[in-house]
Amino acid sequence: MFVAKINVTLKESVLDPQGQTVLRTLHDQGKNSVADLRVGKYIEMKIDGKSQLEAEALAKEICESVLVNQVIETYRLVVEKI
Amino acid sequence: MKVRVVTFPGSNCDKDVGSVLESEFGAKVEYTWYKESFSDTPELVVLPGGFSFGDYLRCGAMAKFSNAMDSVVSYAKKGGKVLGVCNGFQILTESGLLPGALLHNRTLKYICKDVDLVPVSENSIGKEMKGTLSIPIAHGEGAYFADSDTLERLEKNGQVVFRYKENPNGSLHDIAGICNESGNVLGMMPHPERAVNPYTGKMDGKQILEALLKK
């Protein structure tokens, strides 16, 4: 069994109003050393695959067809054996 | 004149648009549940507004994986006319029938109000309309986004169909509606079906639906 850990965030070129709102609140609290903040989502997916390579290939395919809209989002994928 | 309206779990404007097309334009409306396919060639297919699949993951993202959408894609590729309103527009971008994507409104607020739309295109149904149209919007994720190359291509090809006079949501290039390159697929965030009947106090949506049905 494998677990795919996927972090999805808006691309750098896309304005992230959620992130900007949180950042503004932190600055209002005087935490001005926080230079930037982006809000994204974390997806965890368990895969009953035969090999690491097979699980990684399936996870990547699912990311790019379903979980991520590559027009606006980017993702980081890590697959671990459990 | 036959029109198909596709209903997804969470669609809530399907009956609105269907009843308007029936009562105001005499269309014969058939509703297609998302699990069903179709292979006929109606005058128009409508993807209505609402919250398909609860807007989970992303607006419109789940709807593209349905039998009905497979039929819509093949119908559109054969030149069939498709109108996507609000969530329908989001589904059209997610399914790749239209370029770009819809993001959260810049203010992060859900906006429900009348807006002034300027029909702009020379090459699409926009040219059928005159003056500014007052049409309601009701959305939380309606800010149109596309990369700069895509925006340039849309402008160059005359695919921008409607612009907001005063941008309510942060859409790039004030875009409220676009069509595909061949002009048979139109997606727009404002709801023309809510401005057709004098009881609603607005009639400007009629021009849009009329132009779509006759083009």
Side-chain angles (χ1 to χ4, degrees):
Chain A
M1 186 74 84
F2 299 88
V3 60
K5 298 177 174 178
I6 303 145
N7 279 288
V8 184
T9 48
L10 286 168
K11 284 180 179 173
E12 284 295 325
S13 57
V14 177
L15 179 74
D16 171 15
Q18 271 178 294
Q20 290 300 303
T21 304
V22 180
L23 183 65
R24 205 158 47 235
T25 302
L26 293 178
H27 286 175
D28 288 348
Q29 292 175 350
K31 298 179 175 73
N32 292 314
S33 54
V34 181
D36 195 18
L37 189 152
R38 314 269 300 165
V39 174
K41 58 189 153 195
Y42 174 70
I43 299 166
E44 209 171 79
M45 192 164 62
K46 286 190 179 125
I47 300 172
D48 190 7
K50 285 192 192 74
S51 70
Q52 177 95 15
L53 271 181
E54 186 190 283
E56 273 171 3
L58 178 65
K60 186 170 187 288
E61 192 253 307
I62 292 171
C63 280
E64 294 182 4
S65 64
V66 184
L67 301 179
V68 182
N69 179 342
Q70 295 186 87
V71 175
I72 47 174
E73 294 170 329
T74 182
Y75 71 100
R76 277 181 295 120
L77 165 68
V78 177
V79 177
E80 293 166 0
K81 197 169 186 335
I82 48 170
Chain B
M1 177 197 317
K2 195 160 122 187
V3 176
R4 276 198 180 278
V5 178
V6 182
T7 306
F8 301 93
S11 297
N12 61 13
C13 298
D14 47 341
K15 291 285 162 60
D16 300 28
V17 70
S19 64
V20 156
L21 291 167
E22 267 171 357
S23 64
E24 302 297 323
F25 301 97
K28 183 178 175 298
V29 176
E30 284 185 24
Y31 294 91
T32 303
W33 182 233
Y34 78 109
K35 286 185 175 175
E36 297 165 1
S37 314
F38 63 87
S39 56
D40 59 345
T41 51
E43 298 290 316
L44 177 69
V45 169
V46 183
L47 305 182
F51 302 86
S52 57
F53 298 85
D55 277 355
Y56 294 129
L57 189 65
R58 297 180 307 275
C59 299
M62 298 292 103
K64 70 178 167 183
F65 303 104
S66 61
N67 292 336
M69 276 313 292
D70 289 345
S71 298
V72 172
V73 169
S74 71
Y75 164 83
K77 289 197 168 150
K78 283 183 232 152
K81 273 183 295 182
V82 181
L83 167 67
V85 174
C86 201
N87 191 237
F89 186 14
Q90 294 160 343
I91 295 169
L92 287 173
T93 58
E94 280 285 342
S95 61
L97 284 173
L98 290 175
L102 282 309
L103 293 167
H104 276 289
N105 297 341
R106 189 157 291 190
T107 55
L108 286 175
K109 287 179 184 157
Y110 182 90
I111 309 169
C112 181
K113 65 175 187 180
D114 294 341
V115 295
D116 283 340
L117 285 192
V118 185
V120 281
S121 176
E122 296 293 310
N123 305 328
S124 71
I125 67 151
K127 72 171 186 293
E128 310 260 333
M129 279 157 263
K130 292 197 171 56
T132 304
L133 310 176
S134 173
I135 309 281
I137 55 167
H139 59 246
E141 294 177 51
Y144 183 76
F145 175 88
D147 60 40
S148 51
D149 289 349
T150 306
L151 284 169
E152 200 179 311
R153 204 169 57 243
L154 288 174
E155 296 287 1
K156 205 174 115 216
N157 294 343
Q159 287 174 249
V160 178
V161 181
F162 299 110
R163 268 190 243 279
Y164 299 109
K165 203 167 175 186
E166 284 176 41
N167 193 336
N169 55 23
S171 284
L172 297 183
H173 290 210
D174 301 328
I175 285 173
I178 57 166
C179 64
N180 63 346
E181 221 162 308
S182 42
N184 61 309
V185 178
L186 169 66
M188 59 190 298
M189 286 314 293
H191 286 266
E193 78 280 9
R194 294 188 189 175
V196 171
N197 191 302
Y199 292 122
T200 62
K202 290 174 288 289
M203 296 288 286
D204 290 352
K206 200 165 183 175
Q207 281 194 56
I208 298 172
L209 297 175
E210 212 159 39
L212 261 173
L213 288 171
K214 79 175 182 203
K215 192 169 184 274

